[in-house]
Amino acid sequence: MILEQPTRRERDRERERERYAARTHTGTMLSDRKTPEAAVQLAEAKVAAAENGSMSGPLVGRRPPERKVSVVRRRSDVGYLILRLLCVLTSVAALSFMVTAMETSTVLIYGFKLPVYSKWSFSHSFEYLVGISAAVAAHSLLQLLISASRLLRKTPVIPSRNHAWLIFAGDQAFAYAMMSAGSAASGVTNLNRTGIRHTALPNFCKPLHSFCDHVAISIAFTFFSCILLATSAVQGVIWLSNN
């Protein structure tokens, strides 16, 4: 039996196939060895990038930039400072207009002209308003100075939750006190304008218009200061809820 000898070309093709198979097997082994090391390096790179905040994607939590947080906090502190300044101005205005409410004039009663002298200290309601306005002015001025010094040192105006609770309680208490003082003073002023029912007493604000105007302006600033204190209390609640 005669066997056919493979030609030279066929032998060359067979050698090429064996070389290709050997290269493929070697590359697979190398890739299998490198895969665990590459996976570890990739995982370490992801962790480092996540810690530095440089990664992005739906599964990576983005932390807000510290500069942006600082700007927002500074704006909030400036707003708080402006609110305190307005509280000081309104309470001082209410106090000033009330303590300057005094006037001398004459009033006609039963056909007789009688001299009258009006002063804020003749009414307990006006005295109460003066005392509460002075207390609110002192409280607001103290908070303004503390907040301004902290803002200049670039530290938080409200450093802790205990401080925030203290400010919230003080603002709320003074807001209620200012509301009660304004309401009490309003009743006396209304009586001066309308007189006493079923009597011949006149409207005392006609001859004493300057006195009544000072009292009315003081009461208006009292209620405005009450609104500002309530706003400050709400701001404290917002700070406590966010921190």
Side-chain angles (χ1 to χ4, degrees):
M1 184 175 182
I2 300 174
L3 297 176
E4 293 182 358
Q5 296 292 332
T7 61
R8 184 176 181 180
R9 182 178 297 178
E10 290 176 353
R11 289 196 300 268
D12 292 339
R13 289 179 181 177
E14 189 66 27
R15 290 175 183 174
E16 289 294 334
R17 290 175 184 174
E18 291 176 357
R19 291 176 183 175
Y20 179 78
R23 290 176 184 175
T24 305
H25 182 67
T26 304
T28 303
M29 292 179 62
L30 292 176
S31 62
D32 290 340
R33 292 177 182 176
K34 292 181 180 180
T35 298
E37 297 178 0
V40 172
Q41 293 177 358
L42 182 60
E44 293 176 353
K46 288 182 178 180
V47 171
E51 291 178 352
N52 296 328
S54 60
M55 289 187 66
S56 61
L59 299 178
V60 179
R62 294 185 178 181
R63 296 186 301 175
E66 294 183 0
R67 184 176 181 182
K68 186 177 180 179
V69 173
S70 178
V71 170
V72 172
R73 188 186 67 184
R74 190 171 183 82
R75 289 179 180 177
S76 177
D77 292 344
V78 171
Y80 179 82
L81 200 68
I82 293 174
L83 188 62
R84 285 298 175 192
L85 178 61
L86 291 176
C87 286
V88 172
L89 295 178
T90 53
S91 57
V92 169
L95 178 64
S96 301
F97 277 101
M98 183 57 74
V99 297
T100 57
M102 58 184 69
E103 189 177 3
T104 301
S105 183
T106 57
V107 62
L108 185 64
I109 301 177
Y110 296 110
F112 298 97
K113 286 187 177 181
L114 300 176
V116 292
Y117 175 65
S118 60
K119 190 178 180 180
W120 64 272
S121 59
F122 295 163
S123 172
H124 295 296
S125 298
F126 294 162
E127 290 179 343
Y128 177 58
L129 188 146
V130 168
I132 294 299
S133 297
V136 170
H139 167 74
S140 300
L141 181 60
L142 178 63
Q143 295 299 327
L144 176 64
L145 294 177
I146 295 174
S147 302
S149 63
R150 287 175 177 168
L151 189 65
L152 292 176
R153 295 197 303 266
K154 296 183 179 180
T155 58
V157 172
I158 303 177
S160 63
R161 290 181 61 87
N162 292 333
H163 185 79
W165 276 112
L166 181 63
I167 293 176
F168 167 73
D171 289 340
Q172 193 172 23
F174 280 120
Y176 283 126
M178 290 293 277
M179 183 184 297
S180 64
S183 301
S186 299
V188 177
T189 304
N190 185 57
L191 182 63
N192 289 334
R193 290 185 181 278
T194 59
I196 301 176
R197 188 175 297 178
H198 306 304
T199 64
L201 292 179
N203 181 1
F204 287 99
C205 284
K206 287 183 178 179
L208 303 172
H209 58 87
S210 178
F211 170 79
C212 291
D213 289 343
H214 275 69
V215 171
I217 295 173
S218 175
I219 294 172
F221 276 111
T222 299
F223 283 115
F224 188 34
S225 181
C226 174
I227 294 173
L228 292 175
L229 289 170
T231 304
S232 179
V234 172
Q235 189 176 15
V237 172
I238 294 174
W239 190 94
L240 288 170
S241 62
N242 292 333
N243 295 273

Short mmCIF file of all heavy atoms in Angstrom, two decimals, residues 3 9 16 22 53 58 105 117 119 144 154 161 193 215 223 225:
data_model
loop_
_atom_site.label_atom_id
_atom_site.label_comp_id
_atom_site.label_asym_id
_atom_site.label_seq_id
_atom_site.Cartn_x
_atom_site.Cartn_y
_atom_site.Cartn_z
N LEU A 3 1.44 5.18 0.63
CA LEU A 3 0.90 6.38 1.31
C LEU A 3 1.41 7.62 0.62
O LEU A 3 2.60 7.72 0.29
CB LEU A 3 1.35 6.39 2.78
CG LEU A 3 0.85 5.23 3.64
CD1 LEU A 3 1.44 5.31 5.02
CD2 LEU A 3 -0.66 5.22 3.67
N ARG A 9 3.85 22.55 0.77
CA ARG A 9 2.90 23.63 1.10
C ARG A 9 2.00 23.21 2.24
O ARG A 9 1.71 23.99 3.16
CB ARG A 9 2.07 23.97 -0.14
CG ARG A 9 1.10 25.10 0.10
CD ARG A 9 0.35 25.43 -1.17
NE ARG A 9 1.31 25.90 -2.18
CZ ARG A 9 0.96 26.23 -3.43
NH1 ARG A 9 -0.31 26.11 -3.79
NH2 ARG A 9 1.86 26.65 -4.28
N GLU A 16 2.02 26.62 10.57
CA GLU A 16 1.40 27.92 10.90
C GLU A 16 0.23 27.73 11.85
O GLU A 16 0.02 28.52 12.78
CB GLU A 16 0.94 28.60 9.61
CG GLU A 16 2.07 29.12 8.74
CD GLU A 16 2.83 30.25 9.40
OE1 GLU A 16 2.24 30.95 10.26
OE2 GLU A 16 4.02 30.42 9.08
N ALA A 22 -0.52 27.88 19.58
CA ALA A 22 0.36 28.10 20.72
C ALA A 22 0.29 29.55 21.20
O ALA A 22 0.25 29.84 22.40
CB ALA A 22 1.79 27.73 20.34
N GLY A 53 -14.24 62.86 45.27
CA GLY A 53 -15.39 63.51 44.68
C GLY A 53 -15.25 63.78 43.20
O GLY A 53 -15.94 64.62 42.64
N PRO A 58 -24.73 57.94 38.00
CA PRO A 58 -25.95 57.79 38.79
C PRO A 58 -25.74 57.05 40.09
O PRO A 58 -26.53 57.17 41.01
CB PRO A 58 -26.88 57.01 37.85
CG PRO A 58 -25.95 56.25 36.94
CD PRO A 58 -24.76 57.14 36.76
N SER A 105 -52.41 121.16 76.19
CA SER A 105 -53.41 121.85 75.38
C SER A 105 -54.63 122.14 76.25
O SER A 105 -54.60 121.96 77.49
CB SER A 105 -53.80 120.99 74.16
OG SER A 105 -54.71 121.68 73.33
N TYR A 117 -52.94 118.07 80.20
CA TYR A 117 -51.53 117.71 79.98
C TYR A 117 -51.47 116.20 79.83
O TYR A 117 -51.89 115.46 80.72
CB TYR A 117 -50.66 118.19 81.14
CG TYR A 117 -49.22 117.76 81.04
CD1 TYR A 117 -48.40 118.23 80.01
CD2 TYR A 117 -48.66 116.87 81.96
CE1 TYR A 117 -47.09 117.84 79.91
CE2 TYR A 117 -47.35 116.47 81.87
CZ TYR A 117 -46.56 116.96 80.84
OH TYR A 117 -45.25 116.56 80.73
N LYS A 119 -49.15 112.72 78.94
CA LYS A 119 -47.81 112.15 78.95
C LYS A 119 -47.92 110.64 78.96
O LYS A 119 -48.86 110.08 79.54
CB LYS A 119 -47.03 112.65 80.17
CG LYS A 119 -45.54 112.30 80.14
CD LYS A 119 -44.82 112.87 81.34
CE LYS A 119 -43.35 112.52 81.30
NZ LYS A 119 -42.60 113.06 82.47
N LEU A 144 -27.20 91.15 67.74
CA LEU A 144 -26.57 91.77 66.58
C LEU A 144 -25.06 91.85 66.76
O LEU A 144 -24.30 91.54 65.83
CB LEU A 144 -27.16 93.16 66.37
CG LEU A 144 -26.55 94.00 65.24
CD1 LEU A 144 -26.80 93.34 63.89
CD2 LEU A 144 -27.12 95.41 65.25
N LYS A 154 -15.56 84.92 60.40
CA LYS A 154 -15.90 83.88 59.44
C LYS A 154 -16.22 82.56 60.12
O LYS A 154 -15.84 81.48 59.65
CB LYS A 154 -14.77 83.70 58.41
CG LYS A 154 -14.53 84.92 57.54
CD LYS A 154 -13.45 84.66 56.51
CE LYS A 154 -13.24 85.89 55.63
NZ LYS A 154 -12.19 85.67 54.61
N ARG A 161 -26.84 73.68 68.28
CA ARG A 161 -28.29 73.54 68.43
C ARG A 161 -28.79 74.17 69.74
O ARG A 161 -29.89 74.73 69.78
CB ARG A 161 -28.68 72.06 68.38
CG ARG A 161 -28.53 71.43 67.01
CD ARG A 161 -28.96 69.96 67.04
NE ARG A 161 -30.36 69.83 67.43
CZ ARG A 161 -31.38 69.88 66.57
NH1 ARG A 161 -31.16 70.09 65.28
NH2 ARG A 161 -32.61 69.73 66.99
N ARG A 193 -59.28 108.53 71.28
CA ARG A 193 -59.86 109.07 70.05
C ARG A 193 -61.38 109.10 70.09
O ARG A 193 -62.01 110.01 69.55
CB ARG A 193 -59.38 108.24 68.85
CG ARG A 193 -57.91 108.42 68.52
CD ARG A 193 -57.53 107.67 67.25
NE ARG A 193 -56.12 107.82 66.95
CZ ARG A 193 -55.58 108.86 66.34
NH1 ARG A 193 -56.34 109.87 65.95
NH2 ARG A 193 -54.29 108.90 66.09
N VAL A 215 -48.05 108.26 69.77
CA VAL A 215 -48.46 106.96 70.31
C VAL A 215 -48.81 105.99 69.18
O VAL A 215 -48.44 104.81 69.22
CB VAL A 215 -49.65 107.15 71.27
CG1 VAL A 215 -50.23 105.81 71.66
CG2 VAL A 215 -49.22 107.92 72.51
N PHE A 223 -45.78 96.60 66.53
CA PHE A 223 -46.28 95.43 65.80
C PHE A 223 -45.30 94.99 64.71
O PHE A 223 -45.16 93.79 64.42
CB PHE A 223 -47.65 95.73 65.20
CG PHE A 223 -48.77 95.69 66.20
CD1 PHE A 223 -49.49 96.83 66.51
CD2 PHE A 223 -49.11 94.51 66.83
CE1 PHE A 223 -50.52 96.80 67.43
CE2 PHE A 223 -50.14 94.46 67.76
CZ PHE A 223 -50.85 95.61 68.06
N SER A 225 -42.05 95.28 64.89
CA SER A 225 -41.00 94.56 65.60
C SER A 225 -41.45 93.16 65.98
O SER A 225 -40.66 92.20 65.94
CB SER A 225 -40.60 95.35 66.84
OG SER A 225 -39.56 94.69 67.54
#
